[in-house]
Amino acid sequence: MRATLRRTLGLAWVVPALVLVGVFVYLPLVQNLQFSTLKWDIYSGAQEYVGLGNYTKLVEDPVFWSSLGNNVLYAAVSIVFQVFGALLLAALIEGVRSERWQRALRAIYFIPSAISLTVAGLLFYFIYEPNLGPLNHALRATGLGELAQAWLGQESTAMSSIIAMSQWQGFGYSTLLFAVAIQRIPAEIYGAAAIDGVGAVGRFFRITVPLVREMTGLMAIVTLSGAFQVFNEVMVMTAGGPNNSTQVLGTWLYRSGFVRNNFGYAAAIATVLFVITLGVAVAQLWVTRRRRVEW
Amino acid sequence: MVRRLSFLGVIARVFMWAFLLALAVVVLYPLLWMTLNGFKTNAELFGDPFALPLDWSFANYAKAWNRGVSDYLTTSVLVTVTSTIATVFISAWAAYGLTRVDIPLNRTLTAAILGGLMLAPTVALVPLVKLFQAMGLYNTFWALLILYTAFRIPFTTFLIRAYMIDLPREVDEAAEMDGAGRWTAFWRVILPMCKPILTSTVLLHILFTWNEYLFAMIFTSGSGVQTLPVGLTSLMSKHGTEYPVVFAGMVIAALPVVLLFFLGQRYIVKGLADGIGK
């Protein structure tokens, strides 16, 4: 009896964390499902049950589909640059013979990840600026003037321009993590391969790639998850325009709920986001299940 | 090891260096351009974007400072400091309870706390607005403090817990022999031993809070409680024609975290590596 009491008292250690996570992370998630079945005007407070009405509207909403498409594009490009590109880059950096240069390069590449997406987004908003922006300026100066255009102002290039900024901002982060993973590979393995006459390219594909496989899987998951939660950079650079061409799920959710005053519809978009991110999270568990996890 | 300098090897190295340095320029030049623009006048900025500033005066920085950046910075510092302390302590308590105290339902509770890692903040947005309005905390400092703490507890607990699991059991036994209670053992013995991971989690939390935008934008519409990321976009819309002032504000926002990264690089890298690929 006393032992049970003592064990129960031990719960005091975890109560603060449990309460905060329960009330502010889990509870809203459950509520969101309920809200998504309502037609809900936030100003008048009028709520009306519409069942799956918001979801049927969602399926017929072309902007929802284009937003989802933009997230998928985001994910695909980010996987190429921030997973495969970063892995290759990390291996190149490890190939540099000077320890000091290795450190310097890794740190330089990481700087954009340390500054906020807001600063990076604003910075590139100016870089892409059609008249005074350095990008067009440089194009004109080098005789490529016909390539100068309103990067963020036209539907054909706006999304790609945002995604390009995002790669600039994020590749250093994954490169750094891959570098850590590569450093954990025992040097003898590389040494033995070199003695066997395996070239640098062969060493990369035969040793580095298979031995950092776990990190590659995890980075793919993290990148994927992040690509579906994009919000900040789109808000800062285009706010979803021109003509909704750069809307992603996050910004379309925001616009539906907070600008067009339809909270139930926003909640329905959130449910879709939830399903996607949960799917990615389950994939992550599957990737890491081979690792020793002590619950 | 014998190094054979083949012609091809030299060519490959030259190319590798050219690529790595070019990439460094692609990363650094925009940042340098941003910093220099803070010293320019509008006319200079609209003239030749690549020119150096004529006059290295801090007038734009002063203007940015007086037009709200000082307030945004204060709010950012306050939210960052308070939520870092709250998050790290609450997470350390939870990690201690989950790893070194005999509690019922341990597995379930661990899963419940760490499970929060899987949830995207965007998904909870609509109900959270409703919740904070009901609590009367919408558009207050408290909203950000609570959100930044609650949403980062899973990640922070995950890191600290992984570290605490590896601390030897003898430590607790020795503390018990000395007649120390759980509370004393936690403060005097375990917490000091966790210093490296605590440093990592503190730095990672600072990076997160300082840069967070989604919650900051939705939950603070008033200017008194806006953090830097949201404040910068306000600065942009309010003084849209005075770009150098906006650049000055961007530099003020970016500089502290860049410095923090260089000072705490070792801990940040370790925290990230353990958090993602342990």
Side-chain angles (χ1 to χ4, degrees), chain B residues 202-275:
Chain B
V202 163
L203 291 172
L204 289 173
H205 193 85
I206 293 174
L207 280 183
F208 163 81
T209 339
W210 192 262
N211 293 335
E212 203 281 338
Y213 179 79
L214 175 76
F215 285 149
M217 182 193 130
I218 306 265
F219 290 86
T220 61
S221 46
S223 58
V225 284
Q226 285 187 338
T227 56
L228 269 168
V230 183
L232 284 180
T233 51
S234 304
L235 194 70
M236 178 92 176
S237 52
K238 275 192 292 209
H239 310 287
T241 51
E242 277 198 88
Y243 292 136
V245 175
V246 180
F247 277 110
M250 284 154 67
V251 174
I252 294 173
L255 207 55
V257 272
V258 174
L259 288 176
L260 184 84
F261 168 66
F262 277 101
L263 290 174
Q265 198 178 344
R266 203 158 50 94
Y267 291 103
I268 290 173
V269 173
K270 187 162 171 14
L272 286 176
D274 289 351

Side-chain angles (χ1 to χ4, degrees), chain A residues 256-279:
Chain A
S256 304
F258 296 84
V259 181
R260 299 165 82 211
N261 185 24
N262 191 345
F263 263 42
Y265 193 66
I269 298 174
T271 307
V272 174
L273 249 177
F274 170 63
V275 170
I276 294 171
T277 46
L278 193 72

